[in-house]
Amino acid sequence: MKLIMLGAPGAGKGTQAKKIAEKYQIPHISTGDIFRANIKGQTELGMKAKSFMDQGMLVPDEITIGMLLDRIHEADCAGGYVLDGFPRTIPQAESLTKALAEMGTGIDYAINVDVPDDNIVSRMSGRRACLNCGATYHVAFNPPKTENVCNTCGQSLVLRDDDKPETVKKRLDVYHQQTQPLIDYYKKAGVLKEVDGTQNMEDVFQSIIKVLGAE
Ligand code: ADP
Ligand code: ADP
Ligand code: ZN
């Protein structure tokens, strides 16, 4: 199964993508996580991406598309995957559609996790991220077992630089301008599924399973 998670920054794409990946035993591919791993490792790709990310802007398509297409051609992607944070622009979506068509396949579902802007700022300011394993928590809605320590790998959690309120506002503007049009793109392609992302995490997950028709 090949899935795309759509939604504003902080809508819960990563949270749900992790649960989906576990249930269906497919890789969770987050372009944000790949960029952050490259920044941590001080690679050339990471250095290029960092300045855009810090400003709440998108990393240019020339960098992002090639990186994602390389990833989905890896062996573990043969049985499907869940994409989290890609595509974010129409050219990214078109490149993905074309690459998949060349492989004789296509996306099964694009799941839009719908959350109004008003809810986003509180979700982002409370988000705590593990830069080691990609897990995310929320100080109020999903706290780790030990304060500021990742349940999965034991590393310290951080408030991402780009989750500060000034940058979140910029990221929301970028979302509305560049990413929201993808909802229509996938609606026209006949694969869009909408879920109400304002429910609690478990209910959002149950809604997703229901629309996937799995249970
Ligand atoms: P969130 O999950 O909060 O939306 P991400 O971890 O997906 O954040 O992305 C963090 C940042 O990484 C984005 O603000 C952007 O700068 C960059 N990024 C991630 N995915 C993409 C993409 N597909 N295209 C361009 N930039 C991206
Ligand atoms: P995205 O990947 O779309 O940027 P995340 O999955 O990282 O979003 O979630 C953003 C923040 O909101 C995190 O702190 C997460 O723990 C929290 N969160 C995710 N889903 C929900 C939900 N349904 N209700 C409340 N908080 C949530
Ligand atoms: Zn961790």
Side-chain angles (χ1 to χ4, degrees):
M1 183 155 54
K2 296 183 204 66
L3 303 175
I4 291 173
M5 304 303 293
L6 294 176
K13 301 180 297 297
T15 300
Q16 298 301 327
K18 276 202 180 321
K19 286 170 167 289
I20 294 168
E22 201 172 302
K23 180 174 169 72
Y24 296 97
Q25 292 291 301
I26 49 177
H28 165 213
I29 302 176
S30 156
T31 38
D33 283 354
I34 299 175
F35 286 134
R36 281 184 291 277
N38 275 278
I39 292 172
K40 213 175 161 202
Q42 299 189 317
T43 69
E44 202 184 321
L45 177 80
M47 295 303 105
K48 279 189 196 150
K50 187 176 183 338
S51 56
F52 296 99
M53 291 169 75
D54 285 348
Q55 294 173 69
M57 288 161 57
L58 295 183
V59 179
D61 286 344
E62 305 84 82
I63 299 176
T64 310
I65 292 172
M67 178 183 91
L68 187 279
L69 295 184
D70 284 349
R71 179 67 188 89
I72 61 169
H73 281 86
E74 285 177 29
D76 64 330
C77 290
Y81 38 79
V82 50
L83 300 183
D84 162 18
F86 187 99
R88 264 182 154 99
T89 65
I90 292 283
Q92 289 181 15
E94 287 172 342
S95 302
L96 178 64
T97 303
K98 184 163 167 275
L100 291 177
E102 281 164 6
M103 297 164 84
T105 182
I107 285 298
D108 295 295
Y109 299 110
I111 302 166
N112 184 39
V113 183
D114 189 25
V115 175
D117 287 7
D118 290 350
N119 302 28
I120 294 290
V121 178
S122 70
R123 284 203 185 180
M124 304 291 252
S125 58
R127 171 156 68 181
R128 295 295 179 271
C130 174
L131 296 183
N132 185 50
C133 76
T136 56
Y137 301 87
H138 191 283
V139 290
F141 307 135
N142 180 28
K145 292 196 182 90
T146 308
E147 201 180 318
N148 243 19
V149 176
C150 180
N151 292 349
T152 316
C153 75
Q155 292 276 310
S156 298
L157 303 176
V158 298
L159 170 63
R160 278 166 41 184
D161 281 341
D162 62 345
D163 278 354
K164 307 208 163 115
E166 324 75 86
T167 323
V168 170
K169 207 190 153 292
K170 171 74 187 165
R171 289 166 67 197
L172 274 174
D173 289 345
V174 167
Y175 167 75
H176 289 300
Q177 277 178 25
Q178 302 199 56
T179 308
Q180 209 169 16
L182 296 181
I183 297 176
D184 248 9
Y185 178 91
Y186 286 107
K187 196 182 276 174
K188 285 190 185 123
V191 294
L192 184 77
K193 299 280 179 184
E194 301 258 14
V195 300
D196 174 5
T198 65
Q199 309 169 87
N200 69 46
M201 290 173 200
E202 194 46 40
D203 288 349
V204 177
F205 186 52
Q206 292 310 321
S207 304
I208 292 174
I209 290 175
K210 211 179 279 170
V211 300
L212 295 182
E215 271 178 17

